[in-house]
Amino acid sequence: MGPKEIDWNKLTAIIAKHKKEKWGLIPLLQEIQELIGYIPPEAIEPVAEALNIYPSEVQGVVTFYSGFSLHPKGKAVVKVCRGTACHVKGSRSILKLMKKELDLEEGETSPDYQFTLETVACLGACFLAPTMMVNRDYFGKLSPTKVTTVLGQYSKDKGEQ
Amino acid sequence: MPVATVGLCVVEDEKTGRVMASCVTPVVSEMSVRTDTPRVKIHRKNILRLMIAEHPESCVVCSKGNRCQLRQLAAQLGIGETHLYPMPNYKTLEQANPFIIRDLSKCVLCGKCIRADHELVVVGAIDYNLRGFKSRPSTIHDRGLEHSSCTFCGTCLSMCPTGALSPNNPGYTATPERESFSICGFCGVGCGLAMGYTNSRIVEVNPANRPDTVNRATLCVRGHFAHDFLNTHERLLQPMIRQHTGSDENTMAPASWDAAIDVVAGRLLEIKSKNGSQSVAFLGSSKCTNEENYLFQKIARALLKTNNVDNGSYLSGRHVINLLEKRTNGLSRLSPLDWLEKAQAVFVLGADPGHSTPVVSYYLKRASKKGVPLVVADSIRTDLAAFSSAWLDVSTQSDFEGSYIELLNGLAALLYEKKAHDAHYIKQFTEGFKQYSDDLSTLDREQVSLATGIDVGVLNATAELLKGKKIAFVIGSGILQQRFGMQTMEAVINLSLMTGSLGSEGAGIHILAKENNQVGAQDMGAVPDALPGRQPLYNDSDRNRWEQFWQTEISPQSGLNMIQMIEAAEKGNLKGLYILGENPLRSLPQPDRVRKALAKLDFIVVQDILNTETVQIADVVLPGAAFSEKGGSFTNMEGRIQSFDPVVPPPGDAHPDWEILGSLAAKLGDPNQYASLGHIRDEIRIRVPMYKALDRHNHTAWVAVGDHRQSDKDTKKTKTMVSFSPVVPGDIDIGDELSTTDYPFTAIMVSVRYHCGSGTRTGCSDRILKLGLRGEIELSPQDGETLSIRDGDTVRVVSSSGAIKRQVRFNKRLRQGTISIPLAFNGNDAMNLLAMTQPDMPDSPGWKTCRVKLEKI
Ligand code: SF4
Ligand code: SF4
Ligand code: SF4
Ligand code: FES
Ligand code: FES
């Protein structure tokens, strides 16, 4: 299974919606990121043309904000917190375990586009340390068993679809 | 606007002791800062130490050398060792293109390159990419510059304070020994250059970056990198005389200057006495200086008694420019480019400055960014279209060149209907408005839309945009060289008058000049029909003054223009030709025909700097000097007279051209001795009212505006009444049109920014050649499909005059039925397709387009 197909019709519609908008770039990129899960590099030039700005500027914005990505990501994006509180509570071994379980390094996406592994500085839930986030869900007070269960839950999704 | 990227500008607040970046800290009242307290110094030192620790070791062989601001600051702040753990930030070194090496490991992220690219040349090829330690200026998709929209203007390179961006200069990788000011010798913008040289060799060129130059901190790829031709092997180094070694054999033999000048003077006088003064002609140069052109035409008129003088500006639509000059009494001579950024609206017609005169395109794009509405009309979509408020895609049907006239008249009619004419101005300064406005009222806008291929709604919106504004016009070769250039210019003048634009600041008529001194060559009288100062030959009082001054008789009859010279040679009426810095075998249509015609001449002298096609057929060759090897002045397209001194001496035994012409004049019996440039300049200043501001110093001067006869007595130049001309319809019957079945395509001749004119000089520039451009013709993919031609195929392009072979590239933006053919490639072979006609004659199809068919091979 590859990354999600790019729906060019929808993408073109989003671009058209924001055409010539003065501060349209960030909302436009957010919509694309939402729709496709990343910003396809091929979309940069059409976006720039619609907003009458340079493609290099669009790229600059995409690569500046961590909320945007130029690469397709997995269906489940796992963000392991590496902030201070989590570190004290052993997030290093959580990350190690995660790498082993998923067979991924930080920033990598599995070949079947199921998982992407990332780290973040602080998830803002230090009272639950160590923490991680999968897509929009938080998981706290992690232990090796809990990690395996959560991962299992997301791998199971694979079977269903 | 400062952007606070580097942090070396820290200062200390006297009261609070806070250290802050001066560039982004707003000034408040009672504020008092210190710039060199010990704390500030420590901060600066630390920032710099970090920067240096991040720098690679290749610093020691960096071509920025001691010009690197990082090294300069380190020296000033006394940083030798950083005492930090070196942590060079290696990034890929990019040097695939022949112009710019990017070694971003040396980048300090100051952002100057990005600002140069966005704010000065307005290209947008690069911007910051990524964050933090990985951050760097990058192209889209992080590919090489050659795969981006970069035009290789090199403006970012000259701005970069470190060695992150450096010139790709295989011949020389250090700081030039010295630097001198000069003026670019390519196009008519006339950019100020800082030419770096070592051992009498130009090794690097940068923008002069002086406030009194037209380009300030910018340049284009030609100005920056194409001056390689100065050092080519093709330079002429000594005078040569053709020796007849057998009945049919001859060779070129080196000669002394005395011998060569003797032969030239002797032969020209001999031909004149045998065949009359009409049997010699002088083809001067739109690339030589004002001083040289002045002397050249004086030699022709005063010493050989002929008006057979012309220069390359004839090829660039001089007849259209003459019309403008005459109709407006010289009011439009002055057109500073910085007016464009102050304009209320700009109308760009048939002009692609991004290629022909790149610095003009920077002005236009900056104006657009500032909010000046740009109306762009062309038959091929240019770079400017993206910056325009109205893009008018003029149709390319068979007789489309008339559609510019329809367009201008149509817009005028709409403006008149909206009562957007400047009644006050019209009453005060113009004549003939009644007739004009009556004509306009009869125009049918559906018809206009049909003829131009532009939607009525778009025309209306454009008129709305222009309503109530004074308009600046930018006119390019799409008007100047086309069949109906004069009629179109009349329509431009009408629109300019009607909107009250002509003669006011910010509303000039800017004529793009392709050659650096085409304006000056014309001003100096290197033309068959006028004397220096644009004084027409037929005007008795002007002519008499020059007759008295030169102690000679001057015929009121115009001499031969460039094309007539060739025709006269064909007929055997012309016997001797003196060619100064022109290459007619490359720049004129039907080169074979030109070659045959010139072969009939008894005597050809060629004075040039390069071993051109034309040099090969000369009887005497005189090696001249390039602009950087002599002093003098050029007049640019704005009417700015720019003086310069030699940067380096001419190579070998070559001489400055004014010196050569001075010795020839003396040999021909001129009583004036032109021993120095100053003598020539004094004469010009005193005798040519247009150039009264030219002095012996190297100031920038401006040509005097308006008719000298009036300005002498009456300084209120606007008192001159300018009349409207009658509306002519665009569907002028041309009669001789070729059948569209035999020749179904309209070929448009276009310039590319890597070459200048016919490419004689840029074709000798190493780095331009290394780019490996092939000059593909462009074709719409639909037409390609119909003809079963694929992108990349080679085709034969055939016109009624000749044929060429080229590769094809698809361009989605071309209309069907249109192809574009870049000039200056393959010895400028595109000229084979054009018919040799006099562009100022009513039956000439012009030089901008021709009908062709395509054959697959
Ligand atoms: S060379 Fe010119 S066009 Fe290219 S990136 Fe630099 S400033 Fe921009
Ligand atoms: S490449 Fe040069 S000009 Fe551009 S940000 Fe880096 S140091 Fe500054
Ligand atoms: S070629 Fe023209 S635009 Fe380019 S640097 Fe020279 S004068 Fe300027
Ligand atoms: S440090 Fe982990 S949630 Fe705050
Ligand atoms: S922070 Fe002020 S110039 Fe760099």
Side-chain angles (χ1 to χ4, degrees), chain A residues 3-6 8 11-12 15 29 32 36 38-49 55 58-59 62 69-72, chain B residues 140-141 143:
Chain A
K4 201 157 151 189
E5 278 288 310
I6 301 173
W8 280 103
L11 191 103
T12 318
I15 295 177
L29 291 175
I32 297 179
I36 304 179
Y38 71 108
I39 313 284
E42 308 90 307
I44 291 180
E45 267 145 327
V47 166
E49 200 181 316
V58 175
Q59 169 175 280
V62 172
S69 161
L70 281 172
H71 310 285
Chain B
I140 170 95
H141 309 317
R143 292 184 297 218

Side-chain angles (χ1 to χ4, degrees), chain A residues 20 40-45 48-49 52-68 70, chain B residues 117-119 121-132 138-143 369 381 386-388 813:
Chain A
K20 301 248 153 88
E42 308 90 307
I44 291 180
E45 267 145 327
E49 200 181 316
N52 210 2
I53 55 181
Y54 306 125
S56 59
E57 275 177 300
V58 175
Q59 169 175 280
V61 170
V62 172
T63 59
F64 184 80
Y65 292 102
S66 61
F68 301 129
L70 281 172
Chain B
D117 179 55
H118 289 203
E119 294 167 25
V121 303
V122 205
V123 170
I126 49 173
D127 203 339
Y128 285 117
N129 195 10
L130 304 171
R131 278 162 293 157
S138 152
T139 62
I140 170 95
H141 309 317
D142 211 1
R143 292 184 297 218
K369 287 249 160 184
R381 193 181 160 93
F387 292 86
S388 63
R813 293 195 151 141

Side-chain angles (χ1 to χ4, degrees), chain B residues 220-241:
Chain B
C220 81
V221 62
R222 299 187 295 246
H224 219 130
F225 301 106
H227 287 116
D228 290 0
F229 82 89
L230 295 168
N231 301 323
T232 153
H233 303 304
E234 300 291 328
R235 286 298 302 267
L236 300 174
L237 301 176
Q238 55 190 13
M240 310 264 258
I241 302 178

